Amino acid sequence: MNIENFLTAEVETALKALYGGLPEQAVQVQKTRKDFEGDLTVVVFPLLRLSRKGPEQTASDLGDYLSANVAGVKGYNVVKGFLNISFDENFWLSRLNEVIAAPDYGRLPATGKSIMVEYSSPNTNKPLHLGHIRNNLLGYSVAEILKANGHTITKVNLVNDRGIHICKSMLAWKKFGGGETPASSGMKGDHLVGKYYVAFDKAYKAEIKELMASGMSEDEAKKEAPIMKEASQMLRLWEAKDPEVYGMWEMMNGWVYEGFAKTYKAMGVDFDRTYYESQTYLLGKSLVEEGLKRGVFFRKDDGSVWVDLTDDGLDQKLLLRGDGTSVYMTQDLGTAYQRFTEYKLDAHIYVVGNEQNYHFQVLKLILGKLGYDWAEHIYHLSYGMVELPEGKMKSREGTVVDADDLIDEMVGTAREMSQELGKLDGYSEEQVTEICNMVGLGALKYFILKVDPKKTMLFDPKESIDFNGNTAPFIQYTHARICSILRKAEEAGIKPYATVPAMGMVKDETELVKNLVDYPEVVRAAGENYSPALIANYAYELAKEFNGYYHDYSILREENEAVKVMRLTLIAQVARVICSAMALLGISVPERM
RNA sequence: GGUUCCGUAGCUCAGUUGGAUAGAGCAUCAGAUUUCUAAUCUGACGGUCACAGGUUCGAGCCCUGUCGGAAUCACCA
């Protein structure tokens, strides 16, 4: 039961009884701030026009009515225009029992809506880096949050496996590779291919320098460099399905996919379907033809097709080149159409960096102009760059943070820390590895997901490994401690209640219940705002609340057996909700650490 | 120059539809362990919510402008 909605309904009943009607504005009920006495607060300012009385008088009239007529309301106080309502212990016990009884607490009822989430979308010429990590974690988490909101989710990946960039790697490998393979070199496939992408760039730069030394301008040199011409030639051969080039392309992409698969597995992300641009890049042409016929687009003298967006405050955008070949936008129009049709989507979320804000703005506009009303259900989940303390990441300057390296480092640090503290003494090597994986990766995921996606964020490796404060290890540790207490109780033959009987509760206990009761609302809000950060901060608050509670009471030493079991029951639910919330972030929580 | 986004404590970040005296963590300082896990807890210090107007009972949040920063504005993807 959502207590805000419950009280809102009761307040509305009260207003009808007291004043014979409802106010123009909706009744506002919110949580009472910590510094005031009470559980929920009714803001009475908007009710004054209806009551025709002062704020204090209106509030106390309403408070009197609610105390007398609503079960569970214990009392109230009035501060300025705020009516603070307190609920009694049985009210909170009932709420706790509702939490216990809900088999999938925090999972909202099915909506029947079909939503696609596209994320990751890597290029096949280099390994994944820190920016991809933000993308992958966001995509996966948002998909999980939307699932918890009752939607049917399809997670897809669109792999950019064609184009000049992959030809560069292929060419460099052919020229300098000497037949090196992942097997022969022991390198992860994506790293091996990335190595040759860098090798190409090096050779290319050397050629440019040479040409410029012989008197060529920089622009000219960039075009005339032999290795670049060769790469372009390779792309043409690929498009013509030349057997040698095509075979090499399949082989090297295969290496990359093996490497990506490992990284995805380590990150714990997955996809229901993978699209490849080599198979989709021709889509969308028919949409452009149709738009042309209907006068939505226009053709220039050289035969290229454009859309005029000047009325929308933008400029003209190319849709088909003069030679009839398509561009990125053409493909995205086509894939959007295909997906909405095939999956009968109610919404489509693209997790793509903010450097493509303009692209998606244009994409939606064009689809709208073509008359597709689903265009407005496209949502670009745009995220900002990840910067390092030393400045921006630049692949050319070698300041990128490699995804695999970072994951290894985080897990390694988790291991060092736990050894130092003697936390995992007595566990098997297998258990230690499992726990360190959870902790190291959890720290990384949480550090990134707790930040609002659209903000440029600073990634400080040192700080991300911090295990105190608003971090995953802190929350995981809280969970592990609860599990530890429950284990001890079980050993003593104590089982939590299936339904807690009526009894007294102390303030800290009702605070914990309040936090638990909030959870479904947080899930809903996170789903509406595509915001893992809301979940992350909720999990932290809950863990912190428990830590405060735990330190004031020695649960197992409580002499009143019924109270002791009630407390165990309560914290078991805290553990359950922590576990559930963290799962929405893709973070596992260990039972011991 | 156009478009979009960001600007909250020394640092990294929260702030759900406009609500009360602005919230954490890190850092700094002062405390707490008869233990069920101290990878913890309690307290102190720290703010002109970039700036200036406006809307209203009420603005960190909405509107306008200014300043500062980022992304983008390709017959690249």
Side-chain angles (χ1 to χ4, degrees):
Chain A
M1 176 174 104
N2 182 305
I3 56 173
E4 275 103 331
N5 291 347
F6 161 75
L7 187 61
T8 303
E10 296 296 346
V11 169
E12 282 172 358
T13 316
L15 289 173
K16 279 181 204 158
L18 287 170
Y19 309 116
L22 290 177
E24 291 160 28
Q25 291 165 272
V27 171
Q28 285 183 58
V29 174
Q30 58 198 245
K31 270 163 245 144
T32 302
R33 292 181 58 116
K34 282 246 164 123
D35 349 314
F36 295 92
E37 165 114 26
D39 296 315
L40 285 182
T41 296
V42 182
V43 184
V44 299
F45 291 111
L47 312 178
L48 301 184
R49 195 163 294 179
L50 180 71
S51 71
R52 297 178 176 279
K53 288 178 183 166
E56 265 94 8
Q57 189 59 43
T58 307
S60 52
D61 287 352
L62 195 51
D64 284 336
Y65 185 94
L66 293 172
S67 303
N69 293 291
V70 180
V73 172
K74 186 170 66 178
Y76 71 90
N77 65 80
V78 177
V79 182
K80 290 194 250 173
F82 300 91
L83 170 62
N84 300 320
I85 309 275
S86 301
F87 293 100
D88 61 27
E89 293 170 350
N90 281 329
F91 177 85
W92 294 116
L93 273 174
S94 303
R95 301 290 80 72
L96 175 58
N97 281 326
E98 283 172 5
V99 174
I100 297 168
D104 259 327
Y105 188 63
R107 293 199 91 82
L108 279 31
T111 61
K113 280 193 179 175
S114 166
I115 301 180
M116 183 171 280
V117 180
E118 180 191 295
Y119 71 102
S120 200
S121 309
N123 291 345
T124 56
N125 62 330
K126 52 187 178 225
L128 304 177
H129 58 71
L130 185 51
H132 293 115
I133 290 185
R134 193 175 195 186
N135 181 308
N136 283 292
L137 299 182
L138 270 172
Y140 181 82
S141 177
V142 165
E144 290 303 307
I145 290 168
L146 291 173
K147 274 187 202 171
N149 273 274
H151 308 308
T152 303
I153 303 300
T154 311
K155 291 181 273 190
V156 304
N157 190 359
L158 176 60
V159 178
N160 179 8
D161 61 343
R162 64 172 286 275
I164 193 77
H165 58 272
I166 180 69
C167 288
K168 289 177 182 175
S169 293
M170 284 158 63
L171 184 61
W173 180 80
K174 192 179 161 191
K175 279 172 130 42
F176 320 121
E180 191 179 30
T181 67
S184 77
S185 64
M187 272 179 94
K188 206 159 154 283
D190 49 339
H191 288 217
L192 182 69
V193 172
K195 179 174 129 184
Y196 287 102
Y197 185 72
V198 172
F200 174 93
D201 200 55
K202 204 176 148 194
Y204 179 42
K205 276 191 177 137
E207 286 186 2
I208 291 173
K209 205 175 168 188
E210 212 173 290
L211 288 172
M212 284 170 73
S214 62
M216 222 179 246
S217 76
E218 191 178 343
D219 286 349
E220 235 177 321
K222 277 182 180 168
K223 277 184 204 158
E224 292 301 318
I227 198 168
M228 183 54 96
K229 283 186 157 178
E230 231 178 309
S232 305
Q233 172 60 15
M234 200 176 233
L235 181 59
R236 280 191 288 277
L237 286 171
W238 178 86
E239 278 171 359
K241 296 225 160 122
D242 173 86
E244 194 203 329
V245 170
Y246 211 79
M248 198 196 314
W249 173 77
E250 282 180 324
M251 178 181 72
M252 289 181 72
N253 271 344
W255 296 346
V256 172
Y257 297 145
E258 275 176 36
F260 283 174
K262 280 185 197 163
T263 310
Y264 285 146
K265 196 176 174 210
M267 274 195 285
V269 305
D270 54 28
F271 305 94
D272 299 306
R273 181 165 177 182
T274 301
Y275 292 93
Y276 298 91
E277 290 201 0
S278 55
Q279 287 158 23
T280 60
Y281 78 106
L282 295 175
L283 287 174
K285 281 193 184 186
S286 58
L287 288 183
V288 175
E289 300 295 345
E290 199 193 316
L292 198 54
K293 245 184 252 168
R294 287 170 28 199
V296 181
F297 308 141
F298 68 95
R299 200 187 284 278
K300 285 192 177 173
D301 292 341
D302 63 356
S304 57
V305 179
W306 296 72
V307 60
D308 186 0
L309 299 172
T310 45
D311 288 348
D312 300 285
L314 304 173
D315 40 24
Q316 298 185 343
K317 185 83 189 169
L318 177 84
L319 297 174
L320 279 180
R321 297 192 184 98
D323 61 6
T325 57
S326 56
V327 290
Y328 182 42
M329 183 60 73
T330 326
Q331 173 189 257
D332 263 11
L333 292 169
T335 54
Y337 177 82
Q338 190 194 47
R339 292 171 185 182
F340 269 92
T341 310
E342 184 181 345
Y343 286 88
K344 300 190 171 30
L345 297 179
D346 294 288
H348 191 335
I349 295 154
Y350 291 87
V351 182
V352 179
N354 64 7
E355 68 271 13
Q356 292 196 32
N357 286 355
Y358 183 73
H359 173 79
F360 282 98
Q361 202 183 346
V362 172
L363 179 72
K364 288 183 70 166
L365 264 175
I366 294 178
L367 288 168
K369 281 182 187 291
L370 285 171
Y372 299 115
D373 50 5
W374 44 261
E376 58 185 303
H377 299 121
I378 286 176
Y379 182 80
H380 175 205
L381 178 50
S382 164
Y383 61 90
M385 303 217 146
V386 184
E387 289 180 358
L388 298 170
E390 310 86 58
K392 291 181 187 178
M393 286 200 300
K394 293 253 166 69
S395 52
R396 284 173 206 155
E397 291 165 22
T399 54
V400 280
V401 174
D402 179 76
D404 296 316
D405 291 350
L406 181 60
I407 291 168
D408 287 349
E409 195 187 321
M410 296 296 291
V411 174
T413 306
R415 187 176 280 265
E416 280 168 33
M417 294 293 290
S418 61
Q419 269 167 5
E420 234 170 76
L421 295 161
K423 284 284 167 188
L424 298 176
D425 296 351
Y427 290 125
S428 73
E429 175 54 30
E430 209 171 73
Q431 284 173 312
V432 171
T433 303
E434 195 191 347
I435 293 168
C436 291
N437 262 314
M438 287 188 200
V439 174
L441 261 152
L444 174 61
K445 290 180 178 183
Y446 191 89
F447 188 85
I448 287 177
L449 288 176
K450 76 175 174 185
V451 180
D452 179 0
K454 62 175 177 282
K455 286 185 175 170
T456 303
M457 69 172 289
L458 185 87
F459 183 82
D460 186 343
K462 282 179 203 151
E463 202 182 320
S464 69
I465 298 172
D466 203 337
F467 288 1
N468 291 325
N470 192 355
T471 65
F474 170 80
I475 299 166
Q476 289 171 319
Y477 180 58
T478 303
H479 180 266
R481 284 165 83 199
I482 295 176
C483 290
S484 169
I485 296 170
L486 294 175
R487 273 196 301 273
K488 277 272 180 339
E490 203 182 341
E491 280 164 24
I494 303 170
K495 276 191 184 157
Y497 287 119
T499 306
V500 183
M503 70 175 78
M505 274 180 130
V506 296
K507 179 107 182 4
D508 287 359
E509 283 154 4
T510 59
E511 286 299 324
L512 274 176
V513 175
K514 267 192 226 174
N515 273 287
L516 294 178
V517 168
D518 279 343
Y519 182 51
E521 178 58 22
V522 173
V523 171
R524 193 201 57 76
E528 253 177 33
N529 300 299
Y530 309 113
S531 171
L534 283 178
I535 302 282
N537 286 297
Y538 168 79
Y540 175 60
E541 288 301 325
L542 181 57
K544 222 170 58 150
E545 193 70 50
F546 167 78
N547 271 308
Y549 171 69
Y550 163 79
H551 268 266
D552 288 339
Y553 299 91
S554 302
I555 293 167
L556 289 178
R557 278 157 202 272
E558 169 61 41
E559 298 199 351
N560 182 324
E561 196 66 17
V563 169
K564 188 202 280 190
V565 180
M566 181 272 286
R567 288 179 180 164
L568 287 167
T569 309
L570 172 59
I571 66 169
Q573 294 307 311
V574 171
R576 187 159 82 111
V577 170
I578 285 178
C579 203
S580 165
M582 294 296 268
L584 297 183
L585 304 175
I587 301 173
S588 324
V589 281
E591 289 186 0
R592 54 188 90 212
M593 66 185 271

